[in-house]
Amino acid sequence: MKLDIDACIERLYAGHALSEWEVTKVCELLQELLCDEPNVVSIPAPVTVVGDVHGQFHDLVEIFAIGGRVPSTNYLFLGDYVDRGQHS
């Protein structure tokens, strides 16, 4: 069975969860894609800079609702630069 990534994205925007199989396939596809990416990329202006969303999906959907969806808006998501583990 082939994953329809566009359908998955639309379901997520609509607030519906993906199945475990779909999440696994998305992660596998993303891993392949990220392994081929350089660790420094050029992002064409204009770009919207977003702080760490701490895994809050609803916040991410709100950011896209305000700023526009990808690929019509370029985003730079900043990672988590604060140690929240035992050493914080």
Side-chain angles (χ1 to χ4, degrees), residues 6-21:
D6 291 325
C8 289
I9 291 169
E10 290 306 317
R11 285 201 359 250
L12 290 169
Y13 272 121
H16 302 288
L18 300 180
S19 70
E20 183 177 343
W21 178 85

Side-chain angles (χ1 to χ4, degrees), residues 22-42:
E22 289 169 318
V23 171
T24 300
K25 294 308 277 183
V26 167
C27 289
E28 289 171 356
L29 291 170
L30 184 59
Q31 181 181 14
E32 291 174 22
L33 194 108
L34 291 176
C35 284
D36 292 336
E37 288 289 318
N39 58 0
V40 176
V41 295
S42 176

